[in-house]
Amino acid sequence: MAEEGMDSFCGSVFWDTNLTWNTTDPDLTPCFQKTVLVWIPCSFLWLFSSLETYYILHSKTKNVPWNWLNISKIILTALLIVLSIADVGFVASRRSNEFETFSVDYYTPIIRMVTFALTIALIVYNKERGLRTSGLLFLFWFFLTIFGIPQFRFEIRRALRDEPRPEPFFPFVSYMIYYPVTVAIFILNCFADAPPKYSEYPPVENPCPEQGASFLSKLFFSWFDALAWKGFRKPLETSDLWNMNPEDTSSEIVPMFDKYWEKSKRKSEKVPSPKATFRKTSGRIDFVSGKQKTKQQASVLPAICKAFGPTFLFGSALKLFNDILTFVSPQILRLLISFVEGDEPVWKGYLYAVLMLLTAALQTLFLAQYFNRMFIVGLRIRTALISAIYRKALKMSNSARKESTVGEIVNLMSVDAQRFMDLTGYLSMIWSAPLQIALALYFLWDILGPSVLAGLAVMIVLIPVNGFIANKAKTLQIRQMKNKDERVKLMNEILSGMKVLKLYAWEPSFEQQVIKIRNKEVKVLKQAAYLNAGTSFIWSCAPFLVSLVTFATFVLSDTNNVLDAKTAFVSLSLFNILRFPLSMLPMLISNMVQASVSIKRMNNFMNTEELDPNSVTHEPSEKHPIVVENGTFSWGSDDPPVLKNINLKLPQGSLVAVVGTVGSGKSSLISALLGELDKLTGRVNTKGSIAYVPQQAWIQNCTLRDNIIFGKSMDHSTYLRVIEACALKPDLEMLPAGDQTEIGEKAIM
C-alpha cells in the first residue's frame, strides 16, 4: 500500500526490481531519486540540528570574521534556494498550462528550500558563536552529494538519448546547475573557518592544531600529520609538543566533577523520616523522629558517570555502529561467493567488492573515533581524580591524616587513578562482547544449524573457570596494593631521613626491609602473571575449540551436511569475529577487578573527615587583620588541647615574630590561624589573603627557573625582580647551569 501511495505521489513507479537489480544496466527510478535520495539527507539535518544547537549555545568562543569561505557557502546555498523556488514556479506554470504535474514536483523543492534555509541559519550562528567547522553540515552536504549521483547520471543519460534536448528542458538545466553547486559547497565544508576573535579560554603559546582543524581533518586525524613528520625528521623535544585542548585542562574538568561529587556527598547524608507506630492497647499512633543523621559512604563512581557519561555514551554509539558493520562483511562475503559460483551480471561483483572495501573503511573510522573518545574520557577521569585526591589530602583533618600514609596517597593519585584510564577504552566490551557473541551465534545458526550449540557449550564451560580466576585476581590485587603502599611509605621515610640514615650507617638494615617488602610484591606479581597467562591461554584457545567442535558436529551429525566453500569461509569469518570478544573478556574482567579495588580505596579516602572550613572566619569589617579571642585548639577531636585561652590581635602593617623554645607551640599557632587545628572554643578571624611559607619546602622535579615561575608564563622583568628581592643572584652564579639547574626529588613508585 505504501508503494502504491508513492506511485501516485510521483506519477511513476517508486521501485522497480527489474530496473534496479535484475538487469545488466542498473538504475533507480525517477520517483526514488526525487524522494528518498533527497529526503534522507534533509531528514538527517533536521534530526540532528538540535545537537548542533546545543554546541552553538555552549560555545565559549565568538565572532568568526567574515571571509571568502563562509561568504561563499552562504551565496551558493542561496543560489540553491533560488533554484528550488524556480523549480516550484516552473511546476506551477506547467499546471496553469494544463500540463500534468504531481505532488513530488512541489514537495521535494519545498523541502530542499526549507532545509537550505536552515543550513544558512546554522552557518550564520556558527560564525557568531565562534564554531569554525560543523560536522553536521559536512555530513549533510556529503550525503546530498553521494545521493545526488544517481540522478545526475540519469539526467545526463536521458539528455544523450533525447537528441537534440530532453523534454521538458528546464528541469535538466536546473539539476545541471544544482548538483555542481552542491558538490562545491561540500568541498567548501572540507575546510575550517578563520579563528574567532573572542575566546573565553586564555591564550597559549603553542595551541593544539585540533582546535582549528576541519571536521574532515578531525575525522582522519590529519591535523596530527605535522607532528608525525617532525618526529620522523628529528627527535621530538618538549618544546615541540602542543598545549592541551582547553576542554581537557583541569580548569574545565575539575569544576564539572566537583559539582557532581558534592551532590553525591549530600545524598550520602540521609535524615530518617518520622516513623509512625500504632499501639493496640491504647489505640494511639505515636510518631518517632530520628534526631541524628546517618551518613553513608559517598562513591566517586556516580560523579564520574554524570560528569563524563555523555562523551562516553557517544563513544559507545560509535562502537555499536562498528559492531553492526562487523557482521555486514560476512554477509557480503556470502553474496560474493554466490556471485563467483553463479552467473550474475558483472556489475554485481564489482558492487560486492566495493561494499566490502567501504565496510572495512567505515569500521576503521568508527573504531578510531571510538578509541579517541574513550582515551579522552579516560584522561579526563584521571585528571579529575588526581585533582580531587590531592585537594582532599590538603583538607583532611589531623585525625584522618593519621590513618592515611603518604605512600597510600601517592598510589591513589598514580596507580589507582590510572586504572580508570586503562579500563575506559575497553569498558564498552561489557555490552559489546555479549552482543557480538550473540550475533555471531545467530548467523552461525543460520548457516550450521543446531551444531552451533556444541560450540556454545564449550564457551559456557569456560565461564566458571574464568570466574574463579577473576576472584583470585581480585585477592591478589588487594594484597599487591597494600604491599605497594607499605613500600612507598618506607621509601619516603628513607629519602626524608637520608642524612640520619647515613650518619648511623643504617643503610643495610633499611635495604633489607625494602627488599623484604619488594619480595612480597614480586611473589604476588608472579602469581598474578601465572593467572593472566592461564586466562590468556584458555581464551586464546576458545575460538579454535568452538570452531573445531562446531564443524565436527556439523559434519558428523548428518551425511547431508557438506562443508562447501560458502559454508566454510563465511563460518570462519564469523568465528574470527568471535575471537576478539572472547579474547578481550579476560582483559576486561581483570581491569574491572583492579578498578573495583581502586574505587573502594578511593571511596575510603574521599570520605575521611575534613577540616572545618568555618573554624576561621573572614569578616572584612574586622579592624585587625588577625584576631584570636579565647581560642582553644587541639590536633584532633580525641586529643588534648595544645593551645589554651589564646588571645591575639595583630594591627595592620605590623611586623610580628613569635619566639619560643622547641615544642612551645609556635607552629601550632600558625596552623590554628590557617584553620588546620580543631578549634574547641573561641573565635579566629583573618582578613585579606594569606601567604604561608612552611618549614618543609615544596619543590618540583624540574629546573630552578620552573620552580620560581611555578607554572606561569615567563615575564623576564618580573622574574629578575623576584631574583633580586630574594637575593638569589649570587646563588645562581655559583651553579654551573644557572637557573636551568635541575632540582627536586623523583617520586619513587
Side-chain angles (χ1 to χ4, degrees):
M1 292 297 292
E3 189 171 339
E4 293 178 1
M6 292 299 296
D7 292 347
S8 61
F9 181 79
C10 298
S12 61
V13 178
F14 174 73
W15 183 261
D16 188 356
T17 307
N18 295 325
L19 177 65
T20 306
W21 190 253
N22 300 325
T23 179
T24 57
D25 186 17
D27 205 348
L28 296 172
T29 63
C31 180
F32 191 88
Q33 297 171 13
K34 294 178 181 179
T35 55
V36 174
L37 297 186
V38 177
W39 295 355
I40 288 180
C42 295
S43 301
F44 172 81
L45 181 66
W46 284 98
L47 180 63
F48 291 99
S49 59
S50 58
L51 185 62
E52 184 82 355
T53 305
Y54 173 82
Y55 285 116
I56 291 174
L57 295 177
H58 289 79
S59 174
K60 294 190 176 182
T61 56
K62 293 180 182 178
N63 197 9
V64 171
W66 288 108
N67 55 77
W68 68 270
L69 187 62
N70 47 39
I71 293 175
S72 300
K73 292 177 185 178
I74 293 177
I75 292 175
L76 292 177
T77 308
L79 177 59
L80 294 181
I81 294 177
V82 172
L83 283 175
S84 300
I85 296 174
D87 289 341
V88 176
F90 173 76
V91 176
S93 65
R94 283 180 59 85
R95 185 174 184 180
S96 62
N97 294 329
E98 297 183 356
F99 285 96
E100 188 178 13
T101 59
F102 299 96
S103 300
V104 68
D105 299 323
Y106 287 103
Y107 283 98
T108 296
I110 292 175
I111 291 173
R112 288 193 312 200
M113 180 173 56
V114 176
T115 306
F116 294 151
L118 176 62
T119 61
I120 292 180
L122 291 177
I123 292 172
V124 172
Y125 279 107
N126 281 337
K127 172 198 168 300
E128 294 297 326
R129 300 297 298 182
L131 298 180
R132 304 176 62 181
T133 185
S134 171
L136 178 64
L137 291 177
F138 175 88
L139 293 175
F140 166 70
W141 292 111
F142 172 74
F143 290 147
L144 211 59
T145 301
I146 296 299
F147 290 171
I149 293 175
Q151 187 173 354
F152 188 68
R153 172 177 175 266
F154 175 81
E155 295 290 347
I156 293 178
R157 295 181 67 184
R158 188 174 68 170
L160 295 175
R161 287 196 304 264
D162 298 339
E163 294 292 346
R165 60 185 177 85
E167 292 291 346
F169 186 62
F170 179 79
F172 169 76
V173 175
S174 175
Y175 199 81
M176 288 300 104
I177 299 174
Y178 163 83
Y179 186 71
V181 172
T182 302
V183 175
I185 298 176
F186 165 66
I187 294 174
L188 291 177
N189 277 274
C190 294
F191 301 95
D193 221 326
K197 295 181 179 179
Y198 170 77
S199 176
E200 295 182 15
Y201 301 118
V204 293
E205 296 179 1
N206 194 10
C208 179
E210 186 181 6
Q211 299 178 48
S214 65
F215 179 78
L216 186 65
S217 177
K218 293 178 180 179
L219 195 64
F220 292 99
F221 301 100
S222 59
W223 55 269
F224 185 76
D225 292 349
L227 186 64
W229 281 109
K230 183 180 288 187
F232 172 75
R233 296 188 185 99
K234 69 178 188 68
L236 292 176
E237 300 176 357
T238 307
S239 58
D240 296 326
L241 300 178
W242 308 306
N243 290 90
M244 295 186 66
N245 285 325
E247 299 85 1
D248 299 328
T249 56
S250 298
S251 58
E252 294 292 322
I253 295 171
V254 173
M256 181 169 53
F257 173 79
D258 285 346
K259 179 177 68 173
Y260 295 108
W261 169 242
E262 292 299 326
K263 289 182 179 179
S264 297
K265 289 200 298 184
R266 287 195 295 268
K267 287 183 179 180
S268 65
E269 298 179 356
K270 296 181 179 179
V271 180
S273 58
K275 298 180 179 180
T277 59
F278 178 72
R279 295 179 179 271
K280 293 182 179 180
T281 56
S282 61
R284 187 179 64 185
I285 298 177
D286 294 335
F287 290 91
V288 181
S289 60
K291 295 182 179 180
Q292 295 182 348
K293 294 183 178 181
T294 58
K295 184 176 180 181
Q296 296 179 351
Q297 192 179 69
S299 176
V300 298
L301 194 58
I304 291 173
C305 295
K306 293 176 182 177
F308 311 107
T311 307
F312 181 84
L313 291 177
F314 179 71
S316 299
L318 296 175
K319 177 63 173 170
L320 177 62
F321 293 142
N322 174 75
D323 291 347
I324 294 173
L325 288 174
T326 302
F327 291 93
V328 173
S329 294
Q331 308 309 316
I332 300 176
L333 178 61
R334 177 191 291 189
L335 295 174
L336 186 60
I337 295 174
S338 299
F339 166 78
V340 174
E341 294 176 346
D343 188 18
E344 296 181 89
V346 179
W347 67 269
K348 290 187 179 181
Y350 289 113
L351 176 65
Y352 297 145
V354 171
L355 285 177
M356 289 192 71
L357 174 64
L358 290 177
T359 302
L362 287 175
Q363 279 184 256
T364 304
L365 284 177
F366 280 125
L367 197 61
Q369 292 296 328
Y370 160 74
F371 277 113
N372 181 44
R373 296 296 187 282
M374 292 298 105
F375 286 138
I376 289 176
V377 172
L379 176 65
R380 292 177 179 178
I381 292 175
R382 182 173 178 269
T383 301
L385 290 177
I386 290 176
S387 174
I389 293 168
Y390 178 74
R391 286 181 291 117
K392 179 68 177 183
L394 299 178
K395 296 187 294 183
M396 291 173 60
S397 66
N398 296 292
S399 57
R401 191 172 282 112
K402 296 175 184 178
E403 301 174 0
S404 300
T405 63
V406 175
E408 181 182 354
I409 297 174
V410 170
N411 282 331
L412 285 172
M413 289 192 291
S414 58
V415 180
D416 293 292
Q418 183 66 32
R419 300 291 185 203
F420 288 89
M421 191 169 181
D422 297 337
L423 176 65
T424 307
Y426 303 99
L427 190 59
S428 295
M429 292 302 295
I430 293 177
W431 58 265
S432 178
L435 175 65
Q436 292 186 49
I437 293 172
L439 288 176
L441 292 176
Y442 171 79
F443 289 115
L444 283 170
W445 182 283
D446 185 48
I447 299 171
L448 301 175
S451 304
V452 179
L453 296 176
L456 181 62
V458 175
M459 288 190 289
I460 293 175
V461 168
L462 295 176
I463 292 177
V465 177
N466 198 64
F468 172 77
I469 295 177
N471 189 42
K472 292 288 293 183
K474 181 177 181 179
T475 305
L476 292 177
Q477 175 68 13
I478 295 174
R479 288 170 52 191
Q480 174 67 7
M481 294 307 298
K482 289 182 178 179
N483 293 334
K484 190 182 290 288
D485 292 343
E486 186 179 357
R487 176 173 57 85
V488 174
K489 175 187 175 183
L490 181 60
M491 290 302 302
N492 184 69
E493 293 175 352
I494 291 174
L495 293 174
S496 300
M498 183 62 70
K499 290 182 179 179
V500 177
L501 190 142
K502 286 184 171 293
L503 181 64
Y504 289 96
W506 286 342
E507 296 99 320
S509 60
F510 276 91
E511 180 184 4
Q512 292 300 320
Q513 293 186 44
V514 174
I515 292 175
K516 182 179 178 182
I517 299 174
R518 187 58 184 160
N519 288 336
K520 290 194 294 184
E521 285 189 88
V522 171
K523 183 179 179 181
V524 175
L525 287 173
K526 284 183 178 179
Q527 294 176 353
Y530 291 144
L531 283 177
N532 290 333
T535 306
S536 300
F537 174 77
I538 292 172
W539 289 100
S540 297
C541 295
F544 169 74
L545 293 175
V546 170
S547 56
L548 176 64
V549 173
T550 304
F551 280 147
T553 307
F554 176 74
V555 175
L556 298 176
S557 61
D558 193 344
T559 56
N560 296 324
N561 292 339
V562 179
L563 200 63
D564 54 7
K566 183 190 295 186
T567 304
F569 284 112
V570 176
S571 300
L572 285 175
S573 66
L574 291 170
F575 281 125
N576 192 46
I577 294 173
L578 269 178
R579 184 184 301 273
F580 179 74
L582 290 178
S583 61
M584 287 302 300
L585 276 177
M587 181 185 298
L588 174 65
I589 294 173
S590 175
N591 287 341
M592 288 187 65
V593 168
Q594 295 175 358
S596 66
V597 175
S598 297
I599 289 175
K600 186 176 180 181
R601 285 163 51 85
M602 284 186 184
N603 290 340
N604 292 334
F605 178 78
M606 295 294 291
N607 284 276
T608 54
E609 184 183 10
E610 297 183 1
L611 294 169
D612 184 8
N614 299 318
S615 61
V616 178
T617 58
H618 306 281
E619 295 290 340
S621 59
E622 186 73 38
K623 180 179 179 181
H624 300 285
I626 298 178
V627 174
V628 181
E629 296 178 351
N630 300 321
T632 302
F633 306 92
S634 68
W635 283 105
S637 56
D638 299 330
D639 296 337
V642 293
L643 298 174
K644 299 179 181 179
N645 300 323
I646 303 297
N647 289 276
L648 176 67
K649 289 184 179 181
L650 300 182
Q652 189 169 354
S654 61
L655 177 63
V656 179
V658 181
V659 183
T661 60
V662 176
S664 61
K666 302 184 298 297
S667 300
S668 300
L669 177 61
I670 301 298
S671 298
L673 298 177
L674 295 173
E676 295 183 355
L677 262 67
D678 290 343
K679 185 183 68 175
L680 303 180
T681 60
R683 185 176 77 93
V684 180
N685 187 84
T686 62
K687 184 174 66 174
S689 60
I690 296 178
Y692 172 58
V693 182
Q695 292 173 314
Q696 184 177 1
W698 197 95
I699 54 177
Q700 303 176 84
N701 184 28
C702 52
T703 64
L704 196 150
R705 174 188 291 182
D706 293 333
N707 275 277
I708 294 174
I709 62 177
F710 210 70
K712 293 186 177 181
S713 57
M714 178 64 179
D715 187 341
H716 193 68
S717 59
T718 305
Y719 177 75
L720 291 179
R721 288 200 304 270
V722 171
I723 296 296
E724 186 70 25
C726 297
L728 287 175
K729 196 171 181 180
D731 298 314
L732 295 180
E733 292 174 351
M734 293 170 53
L735 299 173
D739 61 358
Q740 293 298 317
T741 304
E742 292 277 347
I743 62 174
E745 296 176 353
K746 295 185 179 293
I748 306 297
M749 300 299 168

